[in-house]
Amino acid sequence: MDSHTSQPSPASQSPRPPHTFQVDLRGLVDLLSRHLYSGPKVYLRELLQNAVDAVTARRALEPDAPARIRLYAADGALRVEDSGVGLTESDVHSLLATIGRSSKRAEGLQEARAEFLGQFGIGLLACFLVAARIRVVSRSARTPGAPPVEWTASEDGSYTVRTLPGAERPEPGTTVYLTARAGAAEWLAPERVRALARDFGALLPYDVRVGDEPVTERPAPWDRGYRSPAARGAALARHCRDLFGFTPLDSIELDLPAAGVRGVAYVLPSAVGPAQRATHRVHLKGMLLTERAEQLLPDWAFFVRCVLDTDSLRPTASRESLYEDETLAAVREALGERIRSWLTALAAGDPERLAAFLAVHHLGVKALARHDRDVLRTMLPWLPFETTDGQLSLAEFARRHPVVHVTRTVEEFRQVAAIASAQGVGVVNGGYTYDGELVRALPSVLPGAVVAELDAETVTAHLDTVEPGEELALSGFLAAARAALDPLGCDVVLRSFHPLSVPALHLDDRDSRHERAREAAEDGADELWAGILGSLRGGAPRARLVLNHLNPLVRRIGALGNPELMGTATESLYGQALLMARRPLRPADSALLNRAFMGLLAWATRGEGDGR
């Protein structure tokens, strides 16, 4: 043994008496209210959970035992009675006097663990959010000979336990009495208790009443039998209006026996953005867990609101949201598959309902189709897109046009929409989220469909050329126009096209815009970077201003005979074409517009200014 190692003395090994934690109940209640629970209303849920757990435990012992929970509110006090398993004095000390001891772990209740909802001790402490005093009177069904026991606690942290004569509680079960704390009497008012009990306990499996008024509505609306599918749909629509405040476009049954999930998803009647988080109502074994569950469905399913009951999902410590684990991930995937199946069924058998749905929620379906090949194959032909023929489904648009042209940006579509429509060229706006990618996938869904990128060359090729003699007669005008726009990197061409009201069309594509951006960066760079950017100069096509030979204004400008005035007029047409295409203006474009405007004013007022 190492000489530096010493053995502890016998005195150091003698056991010392353990210390016990002292709990500051006021501080604990403050912790619960500020950091665990969303608000005081959860006190009633905790009372209901305790009562349901007690009834469930007694039913495990006596399957035919009564299953009653009664709430009585009056004069700033609340009494909650249940016909549950009850408590002995030993149970009181272990369950109520030990913070955080779960009834699920208590001796004798282990066999009912899977059926229980909450923690008895923490649940009662939550009542101090609204109560100054809690009194519990209970008699055990498990130990019939045991006398009733009373546990009384105050918000200052003190409590007493005593046994009572048998006549005080002749039947098994538990009664909880709450006395409101200062400023919290409203939470124990009959109307508030009735509303909270109905909200939290509507789907509980036992007979719950506030006074004589029933709270539970079993079976759940989606589990009831109806005379016909139409009657079922009408009943679920009423349920949606009562619960969420809107009449749904449709109802989607959510029945996942393997996951222990039953419920319904209601399709929203108005559009919502994908960024808006959908919230759903989730019941755990009949008890409302949360009405703000966000992670229940895939992100793409933002067009539905769900209400369901589950016995498999795991709640967080506050029992006000769902714990993110593998079970929730599996349920989320299964629910998403159910919604996909509903969409597929609509496409196969009810095109009118599908069209009504897509008119409102096409963006959500596009998001789904982008990631799901089955939905893409089923839904893409039905999805509406902005086209030169108006808002149309891709299938209908492909029937009208042998080649479906698609733009990369909204600005490109706006440049050519009117002209392409007049020339019979079919163009789809691919600038919106998902649209371009989905249009390019059309040939994989509709064999024989042809999709092509739209560029300036394609548009120009569909415009009528001008007779050589007429174009030669306008050579002076075209030379002046090209000289005016050459510094802006824009060519000028002459074509004839409809509508006649459009004097000029500005066309460019992504490559020409990149080239203009490179030139602008080169002009503002130092010598080193200017050289680097110059070496990147490519043979990309330049933007072009297409002048409409059929437009009367263009004809008059071409006949002016003054190169300076024709150049100024061309600059004006260029600026107007940019504005019509809603393209962002570069500083050079803004300067040109200002110069052209001032130049035209000067020409218009020249006779007055010089006395002629």
Side-chain angles (χ1 to χ4, degrees), residues 260 298 370:
R370 181 171 174 263

Side-chain angles (χ1 to χ4, degrees), residues 24 61 87 98 118 134 141 145 177 203 293 320 323 329 377 419 434 454 486 497 530 533-534 583 603:
D24 179 0
L61 295 174
L87 302 170
T98 304
I134 302 174
Y177 303 84
L203 300 185
E320 294 187 278
Y323 190 84
R377 184 173 56 254
I419 307 302
Y434 312 128
L454 185 73
D486 184 69
F497 56 87
L533 292 170
R583 294 201 55 78
W603 280 101

Side-chain angles (χ1 to χ4, degrees), residues 278-299:
T279 56
H280 313 284
R281 289 176 64 94
V282 178
H283 296 255
L284 180 60
K285 302 183 182 74
M287 182 72 71
L288 178 65
L289 180 71
T290 178
E291 55 189 355
R292 298 187 302 275
E294 294 185 350
Q295 68 273 48
L296 186 64
L297 294 180
D299 290 341

Side-chain angles (χ1 to χ4, degrees), residues 91-106:
D91 293 333
V92 167
H93 284 292
S94 62
L95 296 179
L96 299 180
T98 304
I99 304 303
R101 176 71 60 84
S102 170
S103 62
K104 294 193 290 286
R105 304 185 190 93

